[in-house]
RNA sequence: GUGAGCGUAGCUCAGUGGCAGAGCAUCGGACUGUGGCUCCGAGGGUCGAGGGUUCAAAUCCCUUCGCUCACCCCA
């Protein structure tokens, strides 16, 4: 008896199939090209890290860390941990309590959590900071400019533009300088990528959320103001007044919008240094002809952000309309045990970029995918050998070639070539073996005008190569 | 975690108490050295799953699972 159960992807993750994968590959290649043109270099990072890294950098109280991470324990490590405890004559199920009471499952879990706890990365800035410290990159000349690409994991309910395994490309600038020109150039880089993707319907939002000098006082002010109107706030906002007043700005409750609009703006309460930095940033954007909108409500969710925050939004997406977001995080590296370091970066959502590129319709999988240059039609065992050799030769020359494994009737073969989207059919049969000339037939797509006859010519192998290479470019 | 909508063939869907259907797609034939068109045919289903009502359930009721969108939050 075989189990007939069908396997399927788990919630929130998905397969990316051809032809869509062509568009993904194009996008990634384009992004790499743009980022490297700004002298960013790729850093390849692990998919999982110590849980503690994310807890410390992203913030233990954030949604990401408190409820969205995929955390697990390496069985070997757990085994070792238990043995080491037993070796000290301790019962692992009781040792943590210091009493003889049996431990509950959750207490045991908490105990094991003290040992190697690993987490699938929910974002990658923490990993970059870790790598920067681990490899002593502060000794490198100039700024350290890195980019990464790959999947991230967050356990959220999926919806349009949001997945549990999603893909990000991010760029980070680390070093001793926090000059606003760095921030502006990073944003400029994003706009170049948007142009390369032929996207028009996007908006750049910028803000400054101050630094440890000025933000605490502002947060307190905000809390005071919110308490005055607390009877008009919803449950979510009410809770945030105490936990994290800045988050009230994220509320989408219609009744609260008027209240939010009247709240004091953080940019009116920046210290001199932060104000200067924000003013300079906007000047730097202006001199690059990048249009921006000051969005005082833009407060990013991760604890490590300070001063500059920015976001690119698109009208083509649903509720999850952020294509990319980022900001400055000057204290992060030091907080993780590294040298005092300035830093800024962004992450862009590949899933969302692809969505918007498809909606814009300027670039498609069909237009960037690799075409099938030739389909080889062969007849009889003698022509098969010649066909195999021809296929190898054409492929060596960089052409994409398909050849049926079994002999097909000519009509069938051409029909298949057509449906596969081949640009040419090359016929190898008795006649061609005798003359040394291959019959090449130009194929037209199913949608093209049918009255055009496929022009057919007889060419030697050398001529054939030339012909296929020449007509491949359009 | 919460709410709403939706689950019938590979895809898009019709069928609202009486034999499980259509279009597209796939495969074969008409058509053994020349494609798209046309025509003919075939395969493909636990009607998401489980239970209940009924002579009879894809259809009505209950439960459950899944998907989608939205909230929360973020890329």
């Amino acid at each position: 008896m075989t189990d007939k159960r069908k396997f399927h992807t788990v919630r929130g993750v998905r397969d990316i199939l051809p032809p869509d994968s062509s568009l993904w590959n194009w996008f990634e290649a384009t992004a790499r090209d743009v980022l490297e043109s700004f002298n960013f270099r790729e850093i390849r990072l692990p998919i999982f890290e110590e849980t503690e890294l994310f807890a410390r950098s992203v913030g233990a109280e954030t949604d990401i860390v408190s409820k969205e991470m995929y955390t697990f324990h390496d069985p070997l490590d757990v085994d070792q941990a238990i043995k080491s405890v037993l070796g000290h004559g301790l019962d692992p199920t009781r040792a943590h309590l210091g009493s003889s009471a049996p431990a509950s499952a959750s207490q045991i879990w908490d105990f094991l959590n003290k040992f190697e706890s690993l987490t699938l990365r929910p974002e990658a800035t923490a990993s970059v900071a870790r790598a920067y410290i681990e490899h002593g990159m502060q000794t490198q000349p100039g700024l350290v400019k890195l980019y990464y690409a790959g999947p991230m994991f967050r356990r959220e309910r999926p919806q349009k533009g949001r997945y549990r395994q999603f893909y990000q490309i991010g760029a980070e600038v680390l070093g001793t300088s926090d000059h606003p020109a760095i921030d502006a150039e990073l944003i400029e880089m994003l706009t170049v990528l948007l142009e390369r993707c032929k996207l028009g319907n996007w908006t750049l939002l910028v803000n400054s959320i101050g630094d440890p000098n000025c933000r605490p006082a502002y947060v307190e002010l905000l809390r005071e103001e919110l308490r005055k109107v607390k009877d008009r706030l919803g449950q979510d906002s009410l809770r945030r007044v105490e936990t994290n007043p800045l988050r009230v700005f994220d509320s989408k409750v219609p009744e609260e919008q008027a209240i939010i609009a009247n709240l004091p703006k953080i940019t009116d309460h920046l210290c001199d240094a932060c104000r200067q930095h924000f003013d300079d940033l906007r000047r730097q954007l202006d001199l690059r002809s990048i249009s921006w909108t000051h969005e005082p409500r833009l407060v990013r969710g991760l604890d490590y952000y300070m001063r500059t925050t920015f976001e690119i939004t698109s009208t083509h997406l649903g509720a999850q309309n952020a294509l990319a977001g980022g900001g400055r995080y000057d204290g992060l590296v030091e907080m993780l045990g590294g040298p005092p370091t300035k830093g800024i970066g962004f992450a862009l959502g590949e899933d969302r970029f692809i969505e918007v590129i498809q909606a814009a319709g300027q670039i498609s999988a069909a237009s960037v995918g690799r075409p099938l240059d030739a389909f080889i039609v062969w007849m009889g065992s003698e022509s098969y050998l010649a066909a195999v050799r021809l296929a190898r030769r054409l492929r060596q020359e960089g052409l994409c070639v398909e050849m049926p494994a079994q002999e097909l009737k000519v009509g069938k073969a051409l029909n298949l070539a057509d449906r596969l989207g081949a640009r040419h059919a090359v016929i190898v049969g008795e006649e061609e073996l005798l003359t040394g000339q291959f019959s090449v037939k130009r194929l037209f797509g199913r949608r093209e005008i049918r009255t055009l006859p496929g022009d057919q010519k007889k060419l030697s192998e050398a001529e054939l190569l030339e012909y296929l290479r020449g007509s491949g470019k359009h």
Side-chain angles (χ1 to χ4, degrees):
Chain A
M1 278 288 270
T2 55
D3 188 349
K4 290 282 186 65
R5 157 176 118 91
K6 276 187 189 168
F7 291 103
H8 47 85
T9 55
V10 302
R11 187 200 294 275
V13 314
R14 56 179 181 159
D15 300 313
I16 294 159
L17 309 174
D20 288 351
S21 50
S22 293
L23 188 55
W24 280 75
N25 285 329
W26 174 86
F27 175 71
E28 286 174 3
T30 301
R32 283 171 196 280
D33 189 54
V34 170
L35 268 51
E36 294 195 2
S37 77
F38 281 77
N39 197 32
F40 282 74
R41 298 298 130 140
E42 183 175 17
I43 179 168
R44 295 215 170 204
L45 297 161
I47 298 291
F48 57 90
E49 299 265 7
E50 285 180 52
T51 303
E52 187 65 15
L53 174 65
F54 301 118
R56 294 241 314 261
S57 60
V58 176
E61 302 307 317
T62 60
D63 281 5
I64 291 175
V65 172
S66 64
K67 58 189 187 193
E68 296 175 0
M69 296 203 303
Y70 284 100
T71 294
F72 60 97
H73 298 84
D74 189 316
L76 271 178
D77 294 334
V78 170
D79 194 46
Q80 224 164 12
I82 290 172
K83 275 181 190 157
S84 77
V85 171
L86 289 173
H88 288 86
L90 297 171
D91 178 347
T93 63
R94 297 184 182 185
H96 70 291
L97 290 175
S99 81
S100 58
S104 69
S106 71
Q107 285 170 325
I108 294 171
W109 186 247
D110 288 346
F111 171 77
L112 292 175
N113 273 338
K114 289 176 187 156
F115 295 89
E116 190 84 305
S117 173
L118 305 175
T119 292
L120 296 183
R121 62 183 188 187
E123 60 106 48
T125 298
S127 297
V128 172
R130 191 221 77 233
Y132 181 87
I133 298 164
E134 186 167 344
H135 302 288
M137 293 189 205
Q138 71 275 9
T139 64
Q140 292 184 12
L143 294 167
V144 172
K145 298 164 78 174
L146 300 167
Y147 76 89
Y148 58 84
M152 307 294 159
F153 306 84
R154 291 182 201 169
R155 197 183 173 287
E156 300 176 277
R157 279 288 282 273
Q159 68 185 74
K160 189 174 177 64
R162 194 168 70 186
Y163 305 93
R164 289 183 168 186
Q165 175 174 337
F166 59 102
Y167 296 82
Q168 284 188 339
I169 295 176
E172 316 283 353
V173 183
L174 293 146
T176 51
S177 171
D178 61 355
H179 196 285
I182 297 169
D183 307 34
E185 195 182 68
L186 192 76
I187 292 169
E188 179 186 1
M189 185 164 75
L190 262 176
T191 67
V192 170
L193 178 58
L194 288 159
E195 279 167 24
R196 287 278 292 272
C197 295
K198 297 190 163 61
L199 297 177
N201 291 353
W202 54 270
T203 306
L204 167 65
L205 305 176
V206 297
N207 194 26
S208 175
I209 57 170
D211 67 9
N213 281 327
C214 50
R215 191 166 29 178
Y218 168 74
V219 168
E220 217 29 66
L221 171 70
L222 190 59
R223 186 173 279 140
E224 295 297 320
E225 291 300 315
L226 285 167
R227 280 178 181 149
K228 290 180 192 165
V229 294
K230 66 179 178 184
D231 48 321
R232 288 156 63 201
L233 294 175
Q235 258 194 333
D236 285 328
S237 295
L238 214 48
R239 193 187 65 240
R240 294 184 194 132
V241 171
E242 302 309 321
T243 57
N244 192 348
L246 287 173
R247 296 244 66 87
V248 174
F249 286 117
D250 286 337
S251 169
K252 287 173 190 166
V253 180
E255 296 79 44
E256 294 181 0
Q257 297 311 304
I259 299 170
I260 290 168
N262 288 325
L263 289 171
K265 297 182 167 86
I266 188 164
T267 38
D268 292 335
H269 298 270
L270 295 175
C271 59
D272 290 345
C274 286
R275 183 194 320 285
Q276 184 66 48
H277 193 274
F278 189 45
D279 289 346
D280 288 345
L281 167 66
R282 289 180 288 182
R283 264 194 290 279
Q284 287 281 349
L285 290 172
D286 287 340
L287 70 83
R288 286 170 170 76
S289 303
I290 296 166
S291 56
W292 48 269
T293 303
H294 176 208
E295 174 51 80
R297 292 156 54 175
L298 179 65
V299 292
R300 305 206 59 78
L302 283 55
D303 278 6
Y304 53 62
Y305 284 120
M306 58 171 284
R307 287 192 175 169
T308 306
T309 59
F310 60 94
E311 193 167 285
I312 305 276
T313 61
S314 167
T315 53
H316 269 315
L317 293 163
Q320 308 306 319
N321 64 352
L323 276 175
R328 181 159 280 287
Y329 48 84
D330 292 345
L332 178 62
V333 169
E334 194 169 1
M335 193 184 76
L336 292 174
T341 305
K342 313 289 188 185
I344 184 168
F346 68 76
L348 67 85
E350 286 192 67
D351 307 78
R352 294 178 186 180
F353 258 81
I354 296 291
E355 185 108 0
V356 172
I357 289 169
Q358 286 173 331
Q362 296 293 303
I363 294 162
S364 66
S367 68
V368 300
R370 181 162 180 176
L372 174 52
D373 297 303
F375 185 101
I376 298 180
V377 181
W378 57 276
M379 285 151 282
S381 52
E382 283 180 32
S383 72
Y384 179 67
L385 181 58
V388 169
R389 287 178 174 158
L390 178 64
R392 175 174 300 191
R393 182 89 178 86
L394 296 181
R395 286 168 177 151
Q396 276 172 345
E397 295 297 323
L399 294 163
C400 171
V401 177
E402 178 68 282
M403 190 178 105
Q406 292 144 306
E407 184 168 355
L408 297 175
K409 291 178 196 170
V410 177
K412 265 219 172 307
L414 288 170
N415 182 284
L416 183 56
D418 207 35
R419 287 182 300 157
L420 292 177
R423 297 194 163 172
H424 306 274
V426 179
I427 297 169
V428 185
E430 259 179 60
E431 211 181 298
E432 285 75 13
L433 287 181
L434 287 174
T435 61
Q437 301 265 298
F438 298 101
S439 296
V440 189
K441 194 177 176 70
R442 175 78 195 280
L443 298 177
F444 296 92
R446 296 179 135 186
R447 299 261 163 80
E448 292 178 56
I449 305 157
R450 208 188 322 158
T451 50
L452 280 173
D455 53 321
Q456 185 163 342
K457 27 186 121 207
K458 303 222 172 210
L459 301 173
S460 69
E461 185 175 298
E463 292 167 335
L464 175 64
L465 260 172
E466 200 53 41
Y467 176 71
L468 291 179
R469 268 202 301 241
S471 56
K473 318 256 187 289
H474 20 251

